[in-house]
Amino acid sequence: MSAIRRRSSRRGLQNHADGQQPASAAVEESDEEGTSAQEPYRGGSLSDGEEERDDGPLRKRQKAANGKASLRESEDERRYPDGSIVRIRLKNFITYDSVEFYPGPNLNMIIGPNGTGKSSLVCAIALGLAGRPDALGRQKSLQDFVKDGKEKATIEIELKSRGRGGNVVVKRLFKRGKGNSSTWKINGEHSSEKTVREKMQSLSVQVDNLCSFLPQEKVSEFAQMDPPELLRETERAAGDSRLAEWHSQLIEFRDEEKKLNTSLAEERKHLENLEQRNAVLERDVARFRERETVLKNIRILEMKIPWCQYEQARLNYLDAKEDRQQKQRRYEAFQQRFAPIKQELERMQDTLQQLNADVRTLTGEYQEKTVSNQGLKGKSDKLQAAEGECDDLHRALAGIQRREKEKIKKLQTLRTDIANGQSALQKMEQELINLGLLEEEGGSQEPRGELAQLQREIDIKNGSLRDIAERVNRILQEQRDVSEEAARYRQERERTYKELQGLDDVRNQKLEILKRDERHCYEATTWLKDNMHLFQEKVYEPICLEISAKDPRYAQALEAAIQRSTMTTFVTQTREDYILLTEELITKRKLRINAVMFSHRTLESWKPEVPKEEIQSLGFDGYLLDYLDGPPQVLSALCQLSKIHAIPVTLSELRNNAEIERERRMHAYISKNIYYMIRRAYGSVSIKATRMKGSRYLTRSVDMERKQQLEEGLEQLHTNIEACAQRLKTMGIEEGKLRTKDQHVRQEKGELTERKRAIQHQKMKYDKLKRDIGIKQMQLSNFEKEETSTEMEDLEIKTKLRAVNVKRAKLALDFQKIKRQAVDIFYQRTLAMVRQIELQAKINERENLMRDSDNELAAAKAELQIAQETFLVLKDTAKRLLEKAKAAIEDVTDEEKADFQAMYTDKSLEDLEGLLMEQQARAEMINQTDAGVIDEYERRDAEIERVRNKLATHEGKLSDWQGRIQRIKDKWVADLSELVGRISRNFARAFDKIGCAGEVKLSQHEDYDKWGIDILVKFRDNEKLNLLTGQRQSGGERSVSTILYLMALQELSHTPFRVVDEINQGMDPRNERMVHGEMVRAACQEGTSQYFLITPKLLPDLDYHERMRVLCVFNGPYTPETIDAKTYLARRIARSG
C-alpha cells in the first residue's frame, strides 16, 4: 500500500484566500495484491527545474534510481496494453498543487467525496492527451483549468508503448491569459498539438469518444446521443479501424451519389424541358424546311422558265420570219389578178348615179301629193279628226245612260243596308239592355249588373295586389337590412381571420424550424394534430409551440434556461394519454421525441424559495415564469423540467454577485446575457457562467389571451352570420309565398278584366252599327233630292253628231281627187327605179366580185401586216426574254447552278409553269416561320445533344460510384452487423444478469450518415423493449444502460483505456451492486483495456478482483502532509475488529 500526497485543495484555497494557512490533501493508492505499487512521493510541491528533469519514461527513471527493474515490475508492465496510462503527474491544475499517481493496467476505481478533485483527474487525462476543453462540458477556456492564484499549470501523462523508444511521455504546459494556447513536449522534446494528436491516433487513444471517455458532465448526453452518433462512436471504440473509414467513405460516396442523382435529375428535367420545347417547334421547323425546299424549287423554276420562254420565243421568231416572206409573195400575186374588174365597175357606177338623181326628183313630187298638209295626208288627218269627234259624242251619250242606271242601283243598295242594320241593331240593343248597359228606351246608363260586379271584383283584386306589394317591399327592406348586418359581420370575421392568420404565422414559423431541425418532432406534431380525438384530455404540442414570451426582451433568457430537448417535449395530462402517445410515436413509429406527464402538480403549487421581493432587492426584474405565457399545464411542466419558477432574471448587469452567491437558496440566475449556474459541495462554491445564444423560438411570440379573444369573437361572428342567414331564409320563404299569391291574384284579375273587355267590346259594336245606319240614311236622302232628268243633254249631243257627219263627207271627196294624181307620179318613178335596180344588180355583181378580190387582197395585206408585226414583236420578245434569262442566272451559287442544270431537264414550258404555280400555292399554304425560331431550334437541338452526352457521362460516373459504394457496403455491413451482433449479445447477457432485458440493433437508412445504433431496454416485466432516450427512462435506468453498453464494448474495444465518471449516480442499490459486479468481471479479464471508474461512494460488501486498483482521494482541512497507507489501514482494521 502506498500513498501519493497532494498539496492544497479547493477548501484549502478558500482558506488561503481568507489569509489562513492552506490545508493539505492526499490521494491514497491501494493495490488489491497487497503490495506497494510505487514508492510514495515525499516532500512538497515540485519546482520547475525538477519538472524538466522528471519528464522521461518511468522505467528509465526507476533504473536510474535502483539500478535494475524487478521481476514484479516486468509482470505489471506486461499487463498494460499499448496506449494505456502508466503515470499521471499534475501541477497547479484546478484543485491540485502537485500530484502524481500510477493507475493499474485493468480496473482503476477512483473514490472520494464530492468536491475533492476526482473529476479533475478526468479533465487532466483529456486535456493532457490533446482533448478540447469544451468536450468536457465544464470550462470553455483552457486557462480556466489553472489553479486559482497560480499563473501556469502542467499535465504530464506517461503512456505504455512497446514500440521503439519505449513509453511515451506527453507533457502540456498552459498559462493564464494565453487563451487555449499550450506548450507541448513528447519525451522531453518540444512538439506541436498536431503531432500529439497524430501520436494519440497511432496509439488508438480516443478522448473525444463518449464510448471510451465519458466525463461526469457528459453522462446524461450519452443517453441523448442520436443513433448515428452512437454508431460512429462505437465504430471508433470497438470496431475494426476500417469500419469508421468505410463508414466515412460511404457517407462521402453517398453524398457524391446524391449530388450525381440530383444533377442527373436536374439534367433529365432540363433535357425533357429542352425536348418538350423543341417538340413544340418541330412542326414549325418541318414547315420551315418544307417551305425552304419549295422556295428552292420556285427559285430553280423561276430560273428555268425564262430560258424555256426564250427558247420558245426564238423558235416562234424563226417561224414568224418564214411566214412573213410567204405572206409578201401572196399579196403581190393578188394585186396583179384583180386590176381589170375594178375599171369596169367604175363605169357602171357613173350611170347609176344619173338614175339615182331621176328617182329622187319623182319621189319629191310623189311625197308632195301624199304626205303634205294639202295632199293625201292632210285630208286623211282631218277626216280622222272628224271621226274622232263623232266617237266622243257617241261615248258621252252612252255615259249619260250608264250613270242613270248606276244611280237607281245604289238607291236600292242603301235601302237594303239600312233595313238590315236596323234589324241587327234591335237585337244588339236587347242584349245590352239585358247586360244593364242600356235602358228600355235605348239610352246609355251607368254600368250595372254583371259589368258592375266585374268592376267591383277587379277593384278588390287591385286592393289585394297593393297589399301584397307593400308586404313584399317591407320584406325586401328587411332583407336588405339583414344582408347589410350580415355583411358587417362578414367584414368583421374577415378582419378577425386576418389577425388570427398573423398570429398563426408565428406558429407556422416555429413549425418550419421544427421541420428543418427536429424532423421527428415535426412528424409527431402533424400526427397529433390529426389524432387528437384519440386522447382523454388535451395533449399539448411541443412546448415551443405552446409558449410565448410576454416581453421579447426576455426571449433569449427563457431559451437559455429551457433546454432544446425540453422545447420539443410533448405534455400529457393523464398516464393513459402518456402511454398511448409514447406507444404510437416512439414504439410504433420509431420517432425520437420527448414526452412528459406531471399531472400531480398545478402551476399555483410552484413557489420560489426566495420571495420575489427579495430577488428584486438584489437587482432582479423577476422570475422567468413571470415573463412566459402559455397553458398552465405546460408552464407547470416547465417548472418541473427547467425550474423557471426559481430562476431570477434581469436585463441589466449585476454588480453584487458575491451577495447573490451567498444566498444558498438560489442555484441559478441570469444577468444581462450571461447564464450563471451555482454549484455548492462541501462548503465550496463553484460558478459556471455561460454566454447565452440567440433565441430560436420565443422571438416569435403569440399573445395567447388575444388569440383566445379572437377565437371566441370569431365563434360569435359565425353564430351571428348563421342567424342572419336563417332570417334571410325565412324571409325568402315568406316572400316566395307572397309572390305566388300575387301571381294567383293577377291571374284572377286578368280573367275578370278579359270578361269586362268582352262586354265593353259588344257595346262598342252597337255604337258603331248605330253610327253606320245614320250615315247611310243621310246618303239616301241626298240621292232622292237630286234631279233625275237628262233629256236636254241627250238632245244637244245628237245635234252635234249630225254636223260632224256632213263635214266627213266633204273631206272624203277631196281625198279621192288627190289620190288619182299621186298614182300617175308613182308609175313614172317605178319605171326609173326598175332600170336603177337592173343596173345596181350588175354593179353589185361586179362589186361582189371586186369585194371578194379586195377581201382577198386586204386579207393578204392584213396577213402580211400581221406577219410583219408578229415578226417584230417576236423578235423583240426573244431579245427581251434572252436578257431576262441571262439575268435569272446571275449571282447564283454553284449549288444553284448545278440544280439548275440537273433539275426539270425533260419538262416543257407548260409543265414548268404548272409546277411553278403548284410550288407557289404550296408555299402560300405553308405558314411562314420566323427564322429566329429555327435558330432557336437548332441551338436548342445542339444543347440537347450536349446534355445527352453530359447525361451519359454522369450516368457512367453514377454507375461507378454505385459500384464503389456497393463494394464497400458489402464489407462494411457484414463486419458491422457482426460487431453489433456481438455487442447486442454482450449487452443482453449483462441485462439478463440484473433481471432485465436489453438489445442493440442496427438502424438502417438509405443515407449512410443516418445509419445508427438503437439501444432497447426493459426494466419491468410488464413493459416492452423501449428505445433508450434522454426522457423515457429514469436517470438511474439511463446510467445502468450506459455502463452496461460500455461494458459490452469492453472485450471488443480497440481503445487502450476507458474513463467513466460517476456513472453510478441515480442507481438504486440493487442495480448498482449488479452493475458493479458485471463491470469488475468485464474489466478484469485478461487482455482487456484499462478502465477508470470515478465514483463518490461505494456500497458495502461489493465484489473486488485482484487486478483492481483503488485510488482514494482525501480532502479537507485536517488532511496530513504525509500519510502511511499501511499504518492507516492497519489502525482502521484494528478499530473495526
Side-chain angles (χ1 to χ4, degrees):
M1 183 73 68
S2 63
I4 300 174
R5 191 186 69 177
R6 181 197 63 175
R7 297 186 60 198
S8 185
S9 68
R10 280 185 286 182
R11 179 59 180 267
L13 176 62
Q14 183 176 355
N15 293 337
H16 182 68
D18 295 338
Q20 302 176 8
Q21 183 66 27
S24 61
V27 176
E28 180 180 303
E29 179 181 316
S30 173
D31 195 320
E32 287 299 317
E33 295 174 350
T35 58
S36 173
Q38 294 292 336
E39 288 298 321
Y41 171 70
R42 309 285 184 183
S45 62
L46 297 176
S47 66
D48 291 342
E50 290 172 332
E51 271 187 34
E52 294 299 326
R53 288 193 299 272
D54 291 341
D55 57 3
L58 171 65
R59 185 167 51 184
K60 293 180 180 179
R61 288 189 286 109
Q62 286 179 339
K63 286 184 177 181
N66 304 327
K68 62 179 180 179
S70 66
L71 179 61
R72 170 67 180 276
E73 293 173 342
S74 299
E75 291 176 354
D76 282 346
E77 289 184 2
R78 181 178 55 81
R79 288 162 50 196
Y80 284 93
D82 277 0
S84 61
I85 298 173
V86 177
R87 177 178 59 88
I88 299 176
R89 184 181 183 187
L90 308 175
K91 183 178 180 183
N92 298 332
F93 185 79
I94 308 181
T95 61
Y96 294 99
D97 284 337
S98 178
V99 67
E100 185 174 26
F101 69 97
Y102 304 87
N106 294 105
L107 177 59
N108 293 275
M109 186 174 293
I110 302 173
I111 64 174
N114 287 329
T116 56
K118 303 183 302 301
S119 297
S120 298
L121 299 178
V122 178
C123 296
I125 294 173
L127 297 177
L129 299 180
R132 302 189 312 275
D134 56 358
L136 296 171
R138 287 193 169 194
Q139 290 83 349
K140 301 295 184 184
S141 176
L142 189 61
Q143 64 182 354
D144 295 334
F145 291 90
V146 179
K147 182 176 175 64
D148 290 341
K150 303 297 182 179
E151 292 300 320
K152 61 182 178 179
T154 304
I155 303 172
E156 181 179 294
I157 300 177
E158 182 175 350
L159 302 176
K160 183 65 180 178
S161 175
R162 292 180 173 81
R164 186 176 180 182
N167 291 353
V168 176
V169 178
V170 180
K171 186 175 182 179
R172 184 174 192 176
L173 174 67
F174 48 93
K175 301 179 180 180
R176 290 189 180 275
K178 296 294 185 178
N180 285 330
S181 63
S182 304
T183 301
W184 293 90
K185 287 184 180 182
I186 298 180
N187 292 336
E189 300 294 331
H190 284 283
S191 184
S192 65
E193 183 173 350
K194 180 180 179 183
T195 304
V196 174
R197 290 184 185 277
E198 293 173 352
K199 188 66 176 177
M200 295 304 102
Q201 186 175 1
S202 68
L203 293 172
S204 298
V205 174
Q206 300 177 12
V207 296
D208 58 344
N209 187 342
L210 292 184
C211 291
S212 301
F213 197 92
L214 194 60
Q216 177 182 346
E217 285 76 8
K218 296 291 184 176
V219 171
S220 62
E221 292 185 16
F222 182 88
Q224 296 179 357
M225 278 198 301
D226 58 18
E229 185 180 1
L230 181 59
L231 173 60
R232 288 191 289 272
E233 300 293 347
T234 301
E235 286 176 331
R236 293 173 56 205
D240 189 330
S241 60
R242 293 176 300 174
L243 281 179
E245 180 182 353
W246 288 339
H247 194 178
S248 299
Q249 288 178 347
L250 286 173
I251 292 172
E252 178 185 353
F253 292 173
R254 174 58 178 163
D255 289 341
E256 290 297 328
E257 181 189 17
K258 289 197 292 187
K259 289 178 183 177
L260 280 174
N261 277 323
T262 302
S263 177
L264 281 171
E266 292 175 353
E267 288 169 3
R268 289 191 182 102
K269 185 176 180 181
H270 181 47
L271 177 61
E272 182 181 358
N273 182 36
L274 291 174
E275 290 175 341
Q276 288 177 351
R277 292 171 66 185
N278 258 19
V280 174
L281 298 181
E282 279 180 356
R283 292 180 60 189
D284 292 338
V285 172
R287 285 197 298 270
F288 176 82
R289 289 175 176 168
E290 181 183 0
R291 182 179 171 82
E292 286 295 306
T293 302
V294 171
L295 293 178
K296 174 185 175 182
N297 293 338
I298 290 174
R299 287 195 296 272
I300 299 301
L301 288 169
E302 287 176 344
M303 290 189 293
K304 204 80 174 179
I305 287 174
W307 283 99
C308 287
Q309 289 174 339
Y310 165 70
E311 182 63 23
Q312 185 69 39
R314 187 179 71 82
L315 295 175
N316 292 340
Y317 160 72
L318 294 176
D319 292 342
K321 182 177 180 182
E322 177 65 25
D323 184 61
R324 185 192 63 169
Q325 292 173 353
Q326 292 179 357
K327 294 295 190 321
Q328 180 69 32
R329 291 192 294 270
R330 185 166 177 255
Y331 176 71
E332 292 173 354
F334 275 133
Q335 281 183 328
Q336 295 174 3
R337 191 175 67 183
F338 293 127
I341 298 173
K342 184 177 181 181
Q343 294 174 359
E344 183 182 1
L345 179 61
E346 289 175 353
R347 289 193 298 272
M348 289 181 178
Q349 287 175 343
D350 292 339
T351 304
L352 181 60
Q353 286 178 358
Q354 183 61 43
L355 287 172
N356 289 338
D358 294 342
V359 169
R360 284 195 295 272
T361 301
L362 292 170
T363 299
E365 293 175 357
Y366 178 76
Q367 288 178 347
E368 179 69 23
K369 293 297 183 180
T370 56
V371 299
S372 64
N373 289 332
Q374 298 300 323
L376 292 174
K377 185 179 182 301
K379 299 301 180 179
S380 176
D381 290 341
K382 290 178 181 179
L383 184 60
Q384 289 178 357
E387 290 177 352
E389 185 178 357
C390 183
D391 291 338
D392 290 339
L393 291 172
H394 281 294
R395 283 193 294 273
L397 183 61
I400 291 170
Q401 295 172 353
R402 186 177 61 256
R403 285 197 302 274
E404 186 66 21
K405 292 178 181 180
E406 289 176 356
K407 179 179 178 182
I408 295 169
K409 184 178 180 180
K410 194 166 187 179
L411 286 172
Q412 293 175 350
T413 301
L414 284 173
R415 290 188 182 100
T416 302
D417 290 343
I418 290 170
N420 293 336
Q422 287 176 344
S423 176
L425 187 65
Q426 290 176 357
K427 292 180 181 180
M428 294 177 66
E429 190 174 296
Q430 186 61 42
E431 291 178 0
L432 294 175
I433 291 171
N434 295 335
L435 292 172
L437 295 178
L438 291 177
E439 297 179 352
E440 292 294 336
E441 294 79 7
S444 298
Q445 64 176 8
E446 290 298 323
R448 59 195 180 104
E450 183 181 0
L451 185 63
Q453 180 63 28
L454 288 173
Q455 185 61 47
R456 285 193 296 273
E457 292 181 5
I458 290 173
D459 292 340
I460 291 171
K461 299 301 181 185
N462 286 332
S464 297
L465 289 174
R466 284 193 298 273
D467 181 59
I468 291 172
E470 290 176 359
R471 292 173 64 186
V472 169
N473 288 334
R474 285 197 300 273
I475 290 173
L476 291 175
Q477 182 61 43
E478 290 177 3
Q479 285 179 332
R480 285 192 290 271
D481 295 340
V482 174
S483 297
E484 291 174 359
E485 181 181 357
R488 290 194 299 273
Y489 288 144
R490 282 191 289 271
Q491 290 176 356
E492 181 66 18
R493 182 178 63 181
E494 186 66 24
R495 186 194 64 76
T496 305
Y497 271 138
K498 289 181 180 179
E499 188 170 354
L500 273 174
Q501 185 179 3
L503 296 177
D504 287 339
D505 285 344
V506 175
R507 169 186 166 84
N508 292 335
Q509 292 172 12
K510 292 180 180 180
L511 279 174
E512 284 300 319
I513 296 175
L514 288 179
K515 185 177 181 181
R516 184 183 66 245
D517 300 338
E518 304 288 345
R519 187 71 186 184
H520 285 202
C521 182
Y522 174 79
E523 292 178 5
T525 304
T526 304
W527 180 90
L528 178 61
K529 183 178 180 181
D530 296 334
N531 297 276
M532 191 67 78
H533 62 280
L534 300 177
F535 299 95
Q536 298 177 358
E537 300 289 341
K538 177 176 175 60
V539 175
Y540 292 96
E541 293 179 329
I543 289 177
C544 63
L545 299 179
E546 299 287 353
I547 62 173
S548 61
K550 294 180 179 179
D551 189 338
R553 295 178 301 166
Y554 294 91
Q556 188 178 12
L558 287 165
E559 290 205 28
I562 303 172
Q563 294 181 354
R564 182 173 178 178
S565 60
T566 303
M567 277 291 190
T568 57
T569 297
F570 292 78
V571 179
T572 62
Q573 300 185 62
T574 66
R575 181 170 183 80
E576 291 75 13
D577 288 347
Y578 172 80
I579 294 173
L580 176 59
L581 182 71
T582 54
E583 183 72 20
E584 286 289 337
L585 298 180
I586 299 176
T587 305
K588 292 183 180 180
R589 301 179 182 274
K590 306 300 182 184
L591 298 179
R592 302 183 181 280
I593 62 164
N594 305 322
V596 296
M597 190 275 295
F598 302 123
S599 61
H600 60 285
R601 294 289 297 269
T602 62
L603 180 61
E604 292 74 16
S605 66
W606 296 100
K607 302 296 182 183
E609 294 184 43
V610 184
K612 189 173 180 179
E613 296 75 13
E614 291 187 27
I615 65 165
Q616 288 178 341
S617 66
L618 293 174
F620 291 102
D621 301 335
Y623 286 105
L624 288 177
L625 181 59
D626 299 333
Y627 304 102
L628 193 62
D629 193 8
Q633 295 83 351
V634 175
L635 297 181
S636 177
L638 283 175
C639 292
Q640 177 79 19
L641 295 171
S642 301
K643 311 299 180 186
I644 60 172
H645 67 291
I647 300 177
V649 60
T650 178
L651 298 177
S652 58
E653 185 174 357
L654 297 174
R655 302 296 183 182
N656 55 343
N657 293 53
E659 184 180 355
I660 295 171
E661 293 164 10
R662 284 196 296 271
E663 176 54 66
R664 300 185 63 85
R665 294 173 296 174
M666 195 177 299
H667 303 283
Y669 65 92
I670 296 174
S671 173
K672 201 172 182 180
N673 60 347
I674 305 296
Y675 183 30
Y676 296 91
M677 295 186 66
I678 306 172
R679 184 176 180 184
R680 297 178 176 85
Y682 298 95
S684 61
V685 178
S686 63
I687 298 177
K688 180 180 179 181
T690 305
R691 185 172 297 277
M692 295 186 298
K693 299 179 181 179
S695 173
R696 299 173 73 243
Y697 298 106
L698 297 183
T699 50
R700 306 167 178 86
S701 297
V702 179
D703 187 343
M704 302 304 293
E705 182 179 354
R706 177 57 178 163
K707 183 177 181 181
Q708 184 177 0
Q709 291 176 354
L710 290 174
E711 290 174 345
E712 292 174 355
L714 188 62
E715 186 66 26
Q716 183 61 43
L717 288 172
H718 282 312
T719 303
N720 292 342
I721 292 172
E722 287 296 328
C724 290
Q726 188 61 38
R727 289 164 61 192
L728 286 173
K729 182 178 179 181
T730 303
M731 286 186 281
I733 294 172
E734 186 177 354
E735 179 190 357
K737 292 179 179 179
L738 288 174
R739 292 193 181 278
T740 303
K741 183 177 180 181
D742 178 84
Q743 185 177 4
H744 180 69
V745 172
R746 287 184 184 277
Q747 184 178 358
E748 292 177 347
K749 176 186 173 184
E751 294 173 355
L752 295 172
T753 303
E754 192 64 31
R755 175 61 181 158
K756 177 182 175 182
R757 286 174 183 164
I759 295 173
Q760 289 176 338
H761 180 67
Q762 196 169 359
K763 176 67 167 58
M764 290 170 60
K765 285 174 65 179
Y766 168 80
D767 293 338
K768 182 176 181 300
L769 181 58
K770 189 174 182 180
R771 287 195 300 272
D772 291 343
I773 292 173
I775 292 171
K776 289 180 180 180
Q777 287 175 341
M778 290 175 61
Q779 290 176 348
L780 180 61
S781 176
N782 290 334
F783 276 124
E784 289 174 348
K785 291 178 182 179
E786 290 180 359
E787 295 182 0
T788 60
S789 177
T790 57
E791 294 179 358
M792 292 301 295
E793 186 178 358
D794 182 75
L795 180 61
E796 183 180 357
I797 292 173
K798 288 180 178 180
T799 302
K800 289 180 180 180
L801 186 58
R802 282 194 297 271
V804 171
N805 286 331
V806 173
K807 183 179 179 181
R808 288 176 62 196
K810 183 179 180 181
L811 288 173
L813 292 174
D814 291 340
F815 179 81
Q816 196 67 25
K817 180 181 177 181
I818 294 171
K819 183 178 179 181
R820 285 194 295 272
Q821 293 174 356
V823 169
D824 293 338
I825 296 171
F826 180 76
Y827 177 73
Q828 294 177 9
R829 191 188 70 167
T830 300
L831 291 176
M833 290 179 68
V834 169
R835 290 182 59 201
Q836 184 185 34
I837 290 169
E838 290 176 352
L839 183 59
Q840 184 65 48
K842 293 180 180 179
I843 290 173
N844 289 339
E845 182 181 354
R846 295 295 184 273
E847 283 180 347
N848 288 335
L849 181 59
M850 189 64 193
R851 189 178 299 110
D852 293 339
S853 300
D854 289 341
N855 289 338
E856 291 182 3
L857 183 63
K861 184 177 181 181
E863 289 177 355
L864 176 61
Q865 184 67 29
I866 292 172
Q868 178 67 20
E869 292 175 356
T870 302
F871 169 75
L872 295 175
V873 169
L874 290 175
K875 182 178 181 180
D876 292 339
T877 300
K879 288 182 180 180
R880 179 172 52 79
L881 290 176
L882 177 61
E883 294 175 357
K884 181 179 178 182
K886 290 180 179 179
I889 61 174
E890 288 182 356
D891 301 327
V892 298
T893 63
D894 295 338
E895 180 182 358
E896 290 176 333
K897 286 182 180 179
D899 292 337
F900 169 74
Q901 294 173 357
M903 295 173 64
Y904 308 118
T905 55
D906 57 344
K907 300 293 182 181
S908 64
L909 177 62
E910 291 78 9
D911 293 338
L912 294 175
E913 289 176 340
L915 286 172
L916 178 61
M917 293 177 64
E918 177 185 343
Q919 295 296 316
Q920 287 174 339
R922 286 184 63 190
E924 291 177 357
M925 291 173 63
I926 301 172
N927 293 332
Q928 187 170 358
T929 304
D930 186 5
V933 173
I934 308 306
D935 294 340
E936 180 183 357
Y937 176 85
E938 293 175 348
R939 184 172 60 256
R940 192 178 293 127
D941 196 48
E943 175 68 10
I944 288 172
E945 185 63 27
R946 186 190 68 78
V947 172
R948 283 175 177 163
N949 294 334
K950 185 178 179 182
L951 196 60
T953 302
H954 282 182
E955 286 173 345
K957 288 182 179 180
L958 178 61
S959 179
D960 292 342
W961 279 111
Q962 289 172 340
R964 296 170 68 182
I965 289 172
Q966 191 59 45
R967 289 192 295 273
I968 295 174
K969 180 182 178 181
D970 292 341
K971 297 182 291 185
W972 178 67
V973 171
D975 291 358
L976 181 61
S977 298
E978 181 183 356
L979 173 64
V980 173
R982 294 175 64 187
I983 294 172
S984 181
R985 287 190 292 274
N986 293 342
F987 188 71
R989 189 184 307 115
F991 257 78
D992 186 58
K993 288 181 180 180
I994 65 173
C996 300
E999 182 183 358
V1000 178
K1001 294 173 62 177
L1002 183 63
S1003 173
Q1004 300 186 12
H1005 194 275
E1006 63 178 353
D1007 293 333
Y1008 298 103
D1009 58 346
K1010 293 183 174 60
W1011 279 54
I1013 285 181
D1014 290 336
I1015 299 177
L1016 304 175
V1017 295
K1018 185 179 77 169
F1019 288 92
R1020 282 163 286 278
D1021 293 336
N1022 59 350
E1023 287 184 348
K1024 298 179 181 179
L1025 282 171
N1026 290 313
L1027 192 67
L1028 178 65
T1029 66
Q1031 288 75 33
R1032 189 178 186 94
Q1033 289 79 21
S1034 66
E1037 290 171 344
R1038 292 197 298 270
S1039 298
V1040 170
S1041 303
T1042 300
I1043 191 62
L1044 291 183
Y1045 183 79
L1046 297 179
M1047 288 297 98
L1049 301 179
Q1050 180 70 16
E1051 63 183 65
L1052 306 174
S1053 174
H1054 297 286
T1055 56
F1057 64 85
R1058 295 176 180 275
V1059 176
V1060 179
D1061 189 0
E1062 297 193 15
I1063 191 65
N1064 57 341
Q1065 295 301 307
M1067 293 187 191
D1068 58 54
R1070 174 180 173 274
N1071 285 337
E1072 184 176 356
R1073 188 175 300 280
M1074 288 187 292
V1075 167
H1076 177 83
E1078 180 63 22
M1079 186 164 51
V1080 169
R1081 182 199 64 79
C1084 294
Q1085 293 180 17
E1086 185 70 30
T1088 59
S1089 59
Q1090 190 180 36
Y1091 211 98
F1092 292 87
L1093 176 63
I1094 289 84
T1095 178
K1097 50 90 177 180
L1098 288 174
L1099 296 172
D1101 301 324
L1102 293 175
D1103 293 333
Y1104 292 91
H1105 195 277
E1106 62 180 3
R1107 291 178 179 171
M1108 286 177 59
R1109 181 166 295 183
V1110 180
L1111 301 175
C1112 300
V1113 181
F1114 297 97
N1115 181 19
Y1118 303 107
T1119 303
E1121 290 292 325
T1122 61
I1123 185 171
D1124 187 336
K1126 291 183 179 179
T1127 304
Y1128 173 77
L1129 289 175
R1131 187 165 58 248
R1132 293 291 296 177
I1133 292 171
R1135 286 181 181 177
S1136 61

